[in-house]
């Protein structure tokens, strides 16, 4: 186990990074550590966690703006927002259960560092679209600040948004400021059983083209559906396709009927009212139907129209279980245990159908020998290396986590 450094303030963080930088010591960057298993194994003698840097530093409900120190638990953020009838619009997923740790551990800094977004991304946008500002310390041990408390168009390099999705390889966040939105008054979910993958993608895509404020579209294979704990859907051993509508209660009644009419060719759906819908989508956020059971888990982004064909092409080589989100634009793929996690076949399918794939869950030995994140093209690799050099020229922060030579 690495020695773990636990700064409680930004200046402590800077002091620790200065000592590491002067001695050229690489460091593994953590929040609560719930996503430590994502990416290639980090080889470093020291780990640094922002878990002690906690607290909401700014909240202006009327302005829909919140700021928090990087180690603040996401659960604390969401409880505070819910008390004012507000939410994080991008609905961050919780990878804890899928990675073999407890749910509810992740921190707000890690959410933005990984650009972690959930089902509402199709209507609301990704985590990076809501970050207003960030404070942190880079690999040069310099404190920096980017952005502020308002969202505006600027000329130049948007550092705050560019850091989202860098997985701690460019800087250590000390504080983030972000935009929030009101909670919907009511939620209703239409669940269509027994659709094949291609018909489910067709239905989800059609639903999104309608003016009825659809905010979530998912499809589960029969095996994944049978793993649900939802009271009304537990042990449903058949494929399930769910469409979520959010709005005022009176408006939802109208939109539901109109949507049912548009989708009538796909059969009669089950209807989940408010509490049942919240339970269902909470389970979607936790990905708890992907238990850590020795299998591998991939996250694949592609064009929705290619999603079912992509999964089918992988199925020719191995048994897989698929969870489609974003109307098929995002596929979570469970694959059997193997020496390369099915990497060769999945990369080939992605190259043929378009998109990119990230290995989310695999043993450390597997993650050490395969490309975990999507391999970079020559032009993107050159830009990525330039950005890495600007923020972390000694390559001290999470070395090799995303790519072996970065």
């Amino acid at each position: 186990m690495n020695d773990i450094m636990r700064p409680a303030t930004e200046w402590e963080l800077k002091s620790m990074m200065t000592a590491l930088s002067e001695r050229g010591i690489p460091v593994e960057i953590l929040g609560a550590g719930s996503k430590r298993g994502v990416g290639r194994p980090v080889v470093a003698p020291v780990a640094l966690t922002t878990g002690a840097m906690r607290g909401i530093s700014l909240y202006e409900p009327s302005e829909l703006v919140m700021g928090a120190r990087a180690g603040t638990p996401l659960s604390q953020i969401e409880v505070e927002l819910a008390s004012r009838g507000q939410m994080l619009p991008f609905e961050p997923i919780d990878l804890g259960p899928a990675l073999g740790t407890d749910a509810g551990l992740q921190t707000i800094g890690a959410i933005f560092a990984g650009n972690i977004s959930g089902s509402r991304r199709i209507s609301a946008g990704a985590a990076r679209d809501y970050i207003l500002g960030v404070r942190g310390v880079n690999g040069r041990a310099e404190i920096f600040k980017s952005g502020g408390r308002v969202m505006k168009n600027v000329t130049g390099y948007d550092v705050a948004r560019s850091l989202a999705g860098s997985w701690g390889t460019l800087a250590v966040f000390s504080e983030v400021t972000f935009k929030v939105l009101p909670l919907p008054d009511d939620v209703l979910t239409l669940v269509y059983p027994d659709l094949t993958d291609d018909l489910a993608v067709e239905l989800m895509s059609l639903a999104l083209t309608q003016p009825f404020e659809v905010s979530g579209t998912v499809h589960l294979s029969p095996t994944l559906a049978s793993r649900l704990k939802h009271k009304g859907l537990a042990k449903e051993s058949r494929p399930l396709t769910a469409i979520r509508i959010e709005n005022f209660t009176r408006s939802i009644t109208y939109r539901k009927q109109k949507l049912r009419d548009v989708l009538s060719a796909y059969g009669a759906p089950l209807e989940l009212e408010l509490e049942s819908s919240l339970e269902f989508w909470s389970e979607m956020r936790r990905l708890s139907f992907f238990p850590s059971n020795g299998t591998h888990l991939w996250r694949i982004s592609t064009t929705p129209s290619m999603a079912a064909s992509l999964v089918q092409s992988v199925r020719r080589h191995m048994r897989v279980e698929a969870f489609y989100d974003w109307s098929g634009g995002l596929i979570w793929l469970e694959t059997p245990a193997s020496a390369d996690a099915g990497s060769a076949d999945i990369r080939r399918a992605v190259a043929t159908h378009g998109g990119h794939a990230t290995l989310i869950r695999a043993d450390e030995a597997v993650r050490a020998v395969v490309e975990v994140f999507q391999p970079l093209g020559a032009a993107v690799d050159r830009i990525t290396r330039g950005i890495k050099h600007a923020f972390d020229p000694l390559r001290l922060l999470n070395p090799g986590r995303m790519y072996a030579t970065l």
Side-chain angles (χ1 to χ4, degrees):
M1 175 65 75
N2 297 347
D3 293 332
I4 300 182
M5 309 174 79
R6 305 177 188 276
T9 66
E10 187 177 75
W11 281 103
E12 283 185 315
L13 172 60
K14 173 181 169 58
S15 176
M16 291 175 183
M17 281 304 307
T18 298
L20 294 171
S21 178
E22 289 175 348
R23 297 166 63 188
I25 298 175
V27 57
E28 182 180 12
I29 307 302
L30 305 170
S34 63
K35 290 178 281 297
R36 198 174 194 177
V38 178
R40 302 180 72 258
V42 175
V43 179
V46 177
L48 187 151
T49 172
T50 60
M53 303 173 68
R54 297 187 172 200
I56 294 171
S57 54
L58 165 73
Y59 187 25
E60 297 181 358
S62 61
E63 300 297 326
L64 300 175
V65 173
M66 177 177 275
R69 296 176 183 89
T72 307
L74 177 66
S75 56
Q76 179 183 343
I77 299 287
E78 294 192 314
V79 166
E80 181 64 25
L81 288 173
S83 72
R84 301 296 189 96
Q86 296 179 345
M87 66 176 181
L88 292 172
F90 51 91
E91 196 176 18
I93 59 170
D94 189 342
L95 288 172
L99 293 175
T101 63
D102 293 335
L105 299 180
Q106 54 192 347
T107 62
I108 190 63
I111 290 297
F112 285 107
N115 191 32
I116 307 295
S117 311
S119 295
R120 200 178 280 112
R121 186 191 188 283
I122 56 170
S123 61
R128 65 160 47 95
D129 298 320
Y130 290 87
I131 191 167
L132 299 175
V134 62
R135 293 183 63 93
V137 177
N138 61 24
R140 301 172 185 269
E142 301 167 335
I143 294 176
F144 69 91
K145 174 185 176 183
S146 174
R149 294 167 53 178
V150 297
M151 193 171 287
K152 59 183 179 181
N153 294 322
V154 295
T155 300
Y157 192 66
D158 190 336
V159 173
R161 290 192 186 186
S162 298
L163 289 173
S166 62
W167 289 90
T169 61
L170 300 179
V172 187
F173 291 176
S174 58
E175 187 172 346
V176 288
T177 308
F178 44 94
K179 184 176 176 61
V180 301
L181 287 180
L183 280 165
D185 280 6
D186 201 359
V187 182
L188 182 135
T189 304
L190 302 177
V191 181
Y192 291 80
D194 299 320
L195 296 181
T196 59
D197 288 8
D198 55 344
L199 283 178
V201 170
E202 184 180 284
L203 177 146
M204 293 187 292
S205 299
L206 177 59
L208 275 182
T209 65
Q210 306 304 308
F212 303 134
E213 297 197 42
V214 171
S215 65
T217 54
V218 300
H219 174 71
L220 297 99
S221 70
T223 297
L224 297 183
S226 71
R227 297 175 186 171
L228 293 176
K229 307 298 184 187
H230 186 278
K231 294 185 185 69
L233 300 174
K235 299 181 179 179
E236 283 274 6
S237 298
R238 54 181 178 166
L240 298 175
T241 309
I243 309 295
R244 179 175 59 189
I245 316 169
E246 296 178 314
N247 207 296
F248 301 108
T249 301
R250 182 178 299 176
S251 177
I252 276 188
T253 302
Y254 167 80
R255 291 165 190 260
K256 172 195 72 174
Q257 190 54 54
K258 288 294 185 181
L259 192 57
R260 287 188 59 144
D261 292 344
V262 170
L263 303 177
S264 60
Y266 299 92
L270 309 172
E271 292 188 12
L272 307 183
E273 301 293 340
L274 177 61
E275 290 188 10
S276 188
S277 283
L278 294 176
E279 180 188 349
F280 176 82
W281 291 98
S282 177
E283 200 163 352
M284 298 302 101
R285 283 187 66 182
R286 297 193 304 275
L287 297 177
S288 52
F289 40 85
F290 285 122
S292 182
N293 56 4
T295 58
H296 303 307
L297 184 62
W298 288 84
R299 180 186 186 276
I300 304 172
S301 294
T302 190
T303 304
S305 61
M306 302 300 293
S309 176
L310 190 157
V311 171
Q312 185 57 36
S313 70
V314 177
R315 281 197 173 117
R316 296 191 187 103
H317 303 282
M318 69 189 84
R319 179 181 176 83
V320 300
E321 299 299 338
F323 169 54
Y324 297 80
D325 205 344
W326 308 350
S327 292
L330 178 65
I331 306 164
W332 294 90
L333 205 63
E334 182 183 81
T335 64
S338 65
D340 74 340
S343 176
D345 294 319
I346 288 173
R347 296 285 180 214
R348 188 183 307 113
V350 169
T352 301
H353 294 82
H356 57 84
T358 303
L359 178 57
I360 295 295
R361 182 181 71 212
D363 292 342
E364 187 171 304
V366 175
R367 291 184 286 115
V369 297
V370 304
E371 290 277 10
V372 174
F373 287 84
Q374 181 70 21
L376 302 175
V380 177
D381 180 73
R382 185 167 57 252
I383 294 170
T384 301
R385 290 179 183 279
I387 295 172
K388 176 69 171 176
H389 182 76
F391 278 90
D392 182 24
L394 298 180
R395 298 181 180 176
L396 303 181
L397 303 178
N398 274 352
R401 182 173 192 182
M402 295 186 74
Y403 300 98
T405 59
L406 285 174

